Amino acid sequence: MEKTFALRGDICYSKARDCIECIEDSWLVCEQGINQGVFKQLPDKYQGVKVYDYRRHIITPGLVDLHVHAPQYSFRALNMDMELIEWLNTNTFPEEAKYVDLEYAKRAYELFVRDLSIGATTRAAVFATLHVESTEILMDLLEESGIRAVVGKVNMDRNSPDNLREASAVRSEADTRRWLESVLGKYQHVAPILTPRFIPSCTDELMARLANIQREYHLPVQSHLSENPGEIRWVEELCPDTNCYGEAYDKYGLFGGDCPTIMAHCVYPSQMEIALMKERGVFIAHCPQSNTNLSSGIAPIRTYLDNHMPVGLGSDVAGGFMTSIFRAMADAIQVSKLRWRLVDDSLKPLTVDEAFYLGTKGGGAFFGKVGSFEKGYEFDALVLDDSNLSHPQQLSVKQRLERLIYLSDDRNIIGKFIFGKKI
Amino acid sequence: MEKTFALRGDICYSKARDCIECIEDSWLVCEQGINQGVFKQLPDKYQGVKVYDYRRHIITPGLVDLHVHAPQYSFRALNMDMELIEWLNTNTFPEEAKYVDLEYAKRAYELFVRDLSIGATTRAAVFATLHVESTEILMDLLEESGIRAVVGKVNMDRNSPDNLREASAVRSEADTRRWLESVLGKYQHVAPILTPRFIPSCTDELMARLANIQREYHLPVQSHLSENPGEIRWVEELCPDTNCYGEAYDKYGLFGGDCPTIMAHCVYPSQMEIALMKERGVFIAHCPQSNTNLSSGIAPIRTYLDNHMPVGLGSDVAGGFMTSIFRAMADAIQVSKLRWRLVDDSLKPLTVDEAFYLGTKGGGAFFGKVGSFEKGYEFDALVLDDSNLSHPQQLSVKQRLERLIYLSDDRNIIGKFIFGKKI
């Protein structure tokens, strides 16, 4: 890592939830992986440091994917004409079962990590499968790529086929401990996260055992919450003693509080669930593309933002068909407009500024001071060449960023830095 | 044009509305611009003709964009956080007024036509602006590109700013006749289409004069219909003597029947409007991305299909931010799922097969026998290289096509033929 260096270009970042700051031809300075601020001129004390000259290009914080299933990348954009539970049984479980085969896992995970590497994502919260060894292969590959990620070996001991179900809660716990002993401290950029698949896949006994592991290792947790009406009814049947889906995690202490937690989807929260998520500081991973593809619905993100709850974006591959978080920003805006029109016109659609916040600083907060160019933030940056997005008129830096959100793909990414390291 | 030639590759086309036919490693034969059918082996009578060997690539019919505004391409993906009428006044009208400047028009239209040329579109129904000369520049550029298009000089004589409003119905008629005299018979691939912008922009007198022109020249017509709730209320006020928006066109004979007509959007049709559209054979241009971006709503496409009404897809740039009709297919599926979930679960979501039909044969029917590889269809074809869409498992040709619909961009297009001519 170069200890101190500077980037020069057209700089964009979220100053606040509803405000993108755009500063033409300015400087960023990175020292030891930490951003020193945005400067109109390179300060005297940094004269002589290495400079990356990206004038006329746009520089943004790296993008954060708060929810993605690595083993599902193989069947992205296939066979999505069904709802969640049928889709899990038809596509997901048979595919994930293949990851017992380490050669298949390696081949598939290499494709996933290569895509993530050439894309805009710099941080990710990743689901693997229940298999310990192939999960470690995925973690090895992510470590090599430089992407900072939390990765979860999945826990699931009920309601799935024999070839994708842990034999018992005891076995699931034992495998999880074996995995943790192997990976803890092994990586610079990658860390484990506890990953009960979702309530229908986890017995009470398994949840209790995972709770013990969580307290012992102080691990963060990721799972799914209130994605689909049929799923929610199923959880009500499975957990007759809880008042909402979230409580089924909370009663084991796996729902925020001292246990940093990401819950994906949160499409149909009850008032009680919203209050509980807020009290516990649960991160919401909004996955608009997946919620559309699986006909789940549209999450009330404006409600979460108005309640000052932490929200980021997830690609949710392969419920989503693309890993792009720029695409997730566009999707988040689009579905919020349809929700305003079709469901509840008291919740105004998300703006470009808000969607950009969600995909950078909003999700980044799960990883610490991540997702902004304010002083003291970890130095994750993208350099974007928008010269292929032709236009006959003058455009401001903000307008060019808006276009990149809607129209860019990996061709536009010409530089990527993660925690001060050029990838 | 090569008079007779063959393509070899993995061939996909719509056999019926709900059925994509996929035939691995097969042959297409083109004679004089007309497809002779799909063959597992090259028939003896064609031995010796020029062969384009596209083995391992996917070959589909060219895509049809039934609704696109060429002058709005310049501001695609910008400033979409508003509804239709505000968006027209804020973005569209000021930009379209610039096309009085022929140099600006040329520069802007060159960018639009270049994008269309490198994309998957082979046929398009295009709005220009009210300006005669710049409309002709656009037609010249499209003619050069080889894309087959109908192009409309827009008519509008009310409810728009002074710099984008024709001074009177008489003047609008005179300009339209001047334009027609100049362009009729001038082109091989491009033809004029009568284009009253929409009812709020056109006085009764103008509509009556356009009706005369339509009958004199037997021109097709394109316009907008029932896009936005506020717009529909406005039309009710403007046309108190009509029972539905469509009738405001129909009473001048500009709504199907002997006058081939495309109506864009049709998001909120009344029962009466559906019946009238069906009776008149009006083509519906479904523009899901635009209807989302402008918070308009979601059109009931399943209703139109069940009624055997003609439907195709439109990019509606710049209500839509991309000219890609593959993207429009994906968007059509996605919004139909949200409509099923949020509005009316009696209308099943569109399938991949149906969306592909809409973007090829469905819209193609407006141009004649276009959009399929059945014998006798005009020979429009795309050759798609999907090798960058990596996967660890075996995929069928149909699955590869499904991926291309969701994930492809112009990089995947390695060959394009329009009416038997290689572009």
Side-chain angles (χ1 to χ4, degrees):
Chain A
M1 194 198 308
E2 312 257 358
K3 285 202 168 98
T4 305
F5 61 88
L7 307 191
R8 181 175 184 179
D10 297 331
I11 293 170
C12 304
Y13 64 100
S14 279
K15 219 170 166 175
R17 186 188 105 182
D18 55 357
C19 175
I20 301 175
E21 178 89 353
C22 294
I23 314 172
E24 206 173 340
D25 192 13
S26 296
W27 302 77
L28 287 173
V29 176
C30 174
E31 260 191 89
Q32 306 268 19
I34 303 299
N35 192 45
Q36 304 305 309
V38 183
F39 307 95
K40 272 307 286 180
Q41 303 289 339
L42 188 64
D44 286 346
K45 64 185 278 207
Y46 298 118
Q47 296 295 336
V49 303
K50 178 170 176 60
V51 170
Y52 294 91
D53 187 347
Y54 291 124
R55 264 176 288 183
R56 288 174 301 282
H57 297 312
I58 300 252
I59 306 176
T60 72
L63 307 193
V64 180
D65 189 343
L66 270 196
H67 185 66
V68 58
H69 292 264
Q72 298 176 18
Y73 184 70
S74 53
F75 65 85
R76 72 199 182 285
L78 289 175
N79 208 18
M80 297 186 295
D81 292 337
M82 55 188 84
E83 279 191 82
L84 175 65
I85 303 300
E86 185 189 0
W87 175 87
L88 284 172
N89 289 316
T90 307
N91 294 327
T92 306
F93 292 158
E95 179 66 20
E96 288 196 12
K98 294 185 195 168
Y99 287 72
V100 69
D101 172 350
L102 300 190
E103 277 183 33
Y104 185 81
K106 185 159 187 291
R107 196 160 76 243
Y109 283 147
E110 277 173 353
L111 299 177
F112 169 73
V113 173
R114 191 184 65 194
D115 179 332
L116 222 56
S117 298
I118 63 175
T121 299
T122 52
R123 309 265 172 161
V126 185
F127 279 57
T129 62
L130 58 77
H131 310 96
V132 171
E133 284 73 17
S134 62
T135 300
E136 202 165 330
I137 289 173
L138 173 60
M139 295 174 85
D140 292 347
L141 290 166
L142 283 164
E143 171 79 2
E144 267 172 58
S145 78
I147 292 167
R148 302 230 151 190
V150 288
V151 177
K153 169 222 165 319
V154 171
N155 297 98
M156 49 196 297
D157 71 340
R158 67 173 172 183
N159 292 320
S160 54
D162 290 347
N163 65 354
L164 194 74
R165 196 178 64 240
E166 295 172 299
S168 66
V170 172
R171 174 66 190 273
S172 183
E173 181 188 359
D175 275 3
T176 304
R177 288 180 181 276
R178 183 161 64 85
W179 167 62
L180 289 171
E181 291 308 322
S182 177
V183 301
L184 278 168
K186 180 177 175 188
Y187 305 111
Q188 270 197 295
H189 312 132
V190 177
I193 182 169
L194 212 53
T195 306
R197 179 165 214 123
F198 70 153
I199 293 295
S201 296
C202 300
T203 60
D204 285 351
E205 188 192 341
L206 176 54
M207 293 298 282
R209 287 174 182 274
L210 293 179
N212 289 335
I213 293 177
Q214 194 279 324
R215 279 183 282 280
E216 202 173 319
Y217 291 93
H218 305 289
L219 292 178
V221 165
Q222 60 182 352
S223 194
H224 300 87
L225 184 68
S226 298
E227 176 175 359
N228 172 288
E231 173 218 20
I232 294 167
R233 282 192 300 273
W234 193 16
V235 171
E236 281 168 11
E237 287 165 27
L238 291 166
C239 307
D241 58 330
T242 60
N243 295 297
C244 67
Y245 193 158
E247 217 184 281
Y249 297 103
D250 192 59
K251 70 178 181 174
Y252 296 102
L254 299 175
F255 200 66
D258 293 336
C259 164
T261 299
I262 300 169
M263 285 287 156
H265 308 306
C266 310
V267 178
Y268 298 100
S270 64
Q271 283 306 317
M272 188 193 175
E273 197 159 84
I274 292 173
L276 192 62
M277 281 194 282
K278 180 172 175 161
E279 194 182 324
R280 301 281 193 267
V282 168
F283 273 78
I284 295 147
H286 176 41
C287 307
Q289 189 174 93
S290 168
N291 299 156
T292 301
N293 290 332
L294 301 182
S295 302
S296 299
I298 306 172
I301 301 305
R302 167 79 54 218
T303 300
Y304 301 138
L305 291 175
D306 285 351
N307 273 293
H308 304 284
M309 295 160 73
V311 192
L313 296 175
S315 67
D316 193 25
V317 160
F321 50 74
M322 274 184 153
T323 54
S324 168
I325 294 299
F326 280 128
R327 175 68 178 261
M329 293 179 195
D331 291 334
I333 296 167
Q334 291 190 298
V335 300
S336 75
K337 289 175 174 175
L338 291 176
R339 196 180 197 283
W340 171 83
R341 168 64 72 197
L342 302 173
V343 180
D344 179 0
D345 69 3
S346 77
L347 296 183
K348 276 194 311 178
L350 299 179
T351 63
V352 169
D353 292 68
E354 289 169 325
F356 184 75
Y357 166 86
L358 292 176
T360 55
K361 202 174 176 181
F366 182 77
F367 293 91
K369 293 188 88 165
V370 169
S372 176
F373 288 143
E374 291 158 280
K375 191 172 154 94
Y377 270 67
E378 298 183 15
F379 195 92
D380 295 356
L382 296 176
V383 185
L384 300 159
D385 177 352
D386 62 339
S387 57
N388 69 324
L389 305 177
S390 56
H391 50 93
Q393 79 280 48
Q394 287 291 314
L395 294 180
S396 68
V397 173
K398 172 82 181 283
Q399 288 175 310
R400 289 167 54 207
L401 174 64
E402 193 174 350
R403 282 214 160 157
L404 284 163
I405 290 172
Y406 284 108
L407 299 175
S408 70
D409 57 45
D410 52 56
R411 282 174 287 193
N412 299 97
I413 303 168
I414 60 164
K416 191 168 169 179
F417 296 79
I418 305 180
F419 203 83
K421 189 177 166 203
K422 193 167 192 309
I423 301 296
Chain B
M1 194 197 310
E2 311 258 359
K3 286 202 168 95
T4 305
F5 62 88
L7 307 192
R8 181 176 184 179
D10 298 331
I11 292 170
C12 305
Y13 64 100
S14 279
K15 220 171 166 175
R17 186 189 105 182
D18 54 358
C19 174
I20 301 175
E21 179 87 353
C22 294
I23 314 173
E24 205 172 340
D25 192 13
S26 296
W27 301 76
L28 287 173
V29 177
C30 174
E31 259 190 273
Q32 306 270 16
I34 302 299
N35 192 45
Q36 303 305 308
V38 183
F39 308 96
K40 271 307 287 180
Q41 303 289 337
L42 187 64
D44 287 345
K45 65 184 280 205
Y46 298 117
Q47 295 296 335
V49 303
K50 179 170 176 59
V51 170
Y52 295 91
D53 187 345
Y54 291 124
R55 264 177 288 183
R56 287 174 303 281
H57 297 313
I58 300 254
I59 305 177
T60 72
L63 307 193
V64 180
D65 189 343
L66 271 195
H67 186 65
V68 57
H69 292 264
Q72 298 177 18
Y73 184 69
S74 53
F75 65 86
R76 71 198 183 285
L78 289 175
N79 208 16
M80 297 187 295
D81 292 338
M82 54 188 85
E83 278 192 81
L84 175 64
I85 303 299
E86 185 189 359
W87 175 84
L88 285 172
N89 289 316
T90 307
N91 294 328
T92 306
F93 292 158
E95 179 66 19
E96 288 196 12
K98 293 184 193 170
Y99 287 71
V100 69
D101 172 350
L102 301 190
E103 277 185 33
Y104 185 81
K106 184 158 188 290
R107 196 160 77 240
Y109 283 147
E110 277 172 353
L111 299 178
F112 169 72
V113 173
R114 191 183 66 193
D115 178 333
L116 222 56
S117 298
I118 62 175
T121 299
T122 52
R123 309 265 172 161
V126 185
F127 279 56
T129 62
L130 58 77
H131 309 96
V132 171
E133 284 73 18
S134 62
T135 300
E136 204 165 329
I137 288 172
L138 173 60
M139 295 173 86
D140 292 348
L141 290 166
L142 283 164
E143 171 78 2
E144 266 174 57
S145 77
I147 292 168
R148 302 230 151 189
V150 288
V151 177
K153 170 222 163 320
V154 171
N155 296 98
M156 49 196 299
D157 71 340
R158 67 173 172 183
N159 292 319
S160 54
D162 291 346
N163 65 354
L164 193 75
R165 195 178 64 240
E166 294 171 300
S168 66
V170 172
R171 174 65 190 273
S172 182
E173 180 187 0
D175 274 3
T176 304
R177 288 179 181 277
R178 183 162 65 85
W179 167 62
L180 290 171
E181 291 308 323
S182 178
V183 301
L184 278 167
K186 181 177 174 189
Y187 305 110
Q188 269 198 295
H189 313 131
V190 177
I193 182 168
L194 213 54
T195 306
R197 176 164 218 127
F198 69 154
I199 293 295
S201 296
C202 300
T203 59
D204 285 351
E205 188 192 343
L206 176 54
M207 293 298 282
R209 288 175 182 274
L210 293 179
N212 289 335
I213 292 177
Q214 194 280 323
R215 278 183 283 278
E216 203 173 319
Y217 291 92
H218 305 289
L219 291 178
V221 165
Q222 60 181 353
S223 194
H224 299 88
L225 184 68
S226 298
E227 177 175 0
N228 171 289
E231 172 218 20
I232 294 168
R233 282 193 300 273
W234 193 16
V235 171
E236 281 168 10
E237 288 164 26
L238 291 166
C239 307
D241 58 330
T242 59
N243 296 297
C244 67
Y245 192 159
E247 219 184 279
Y249 297 103
D250 191 60
K251 70 177 182 176
Y252 296 103
L254 299 174
F255 199 67
D258 294 334
C259 163
T261 298
I262 300 168
M263 285 286 157
H265 307 307
C266 309
V267 178
Y268 298 101
S270 65
Q271 282 307 316
M272 187 194 176
E273 197 160 82
I274 292 173
L276 192 61
M277 282 194 281
K278 180 172 175 165
E279 195 182 324
R280 300 281 194 266
V282 168
F283 273 79
I284 295 146
H286 177 39
C287 306
Q289 190 175 91
S290 168
N291 298 155
T292 301
N293 290 332
L294 300 182
S295 302
S296 299
I298 305 172
I301 300 306
R302 168 79 54 218
T303 300
Y304 301 139
L305 291 174
D306 285 351
N307 274 294
H308 304 283
M309 297 161 71
V311 192
L313 297 175
S315 67
D316 193 25
V317 160
F321 48 76
M322 275 184 152
T323 54
S324 168
I325 295 298
F326 279 129
R327 175 69 179 259
M329 293 179 194
D331 291 334
I333 296 167
Q334 291 190 300
V335 300
S336 75
K337 290 175 174 175
L338 291 176
R339 196 179 197 285
W340 171 82
R341 168 64 72 198
L342 303 173
V343 180
D344 179 359
D345 68 4
S346 76
L347 297 183
K348 276 194 312 178
L350 299 179
T351 62
V352 169
D353 292 68
E354 289 169 325
F356 184 74
Y357 167 85
L358 293 177
T360 55
K361 201 174 176 183
F366 182 77
F367 293 90
K369 293 188 89 164
V370 168
S372 177
F373 287 144
E374 290 158 280
K375 190 171 154 82
Y377 270 67
E378 298 182 15
F379 195 91
D380 295 356
L382 296 176
V383 184
L384 300 159
D385 178 352
D386 63 338
S387 56
N388 69 323
L389 305 177
S390 57
H391 51 93
Q393 79 281 48
Q394 286 290 313
L395 294 180
S396 68
V397 174
K398 171 82 181 284
Q399 289 176 310
R400 290 166 54 207
L401 174 65
E402 193 174 350
R403 282 215 161 156
L404 284 163
I405 290 171
Y406 285 109
L407 299 175
S408 69
D409 58 44
D410 53 55
R411 282 175 286 192
N412 299 98
I413 303 167
I414 60 164
K416 191 168 169 179
F417 296 79
I418 306 181
F419 203 82
K421 190 177 165 202
K422 193 168 192 311
I423 301 296

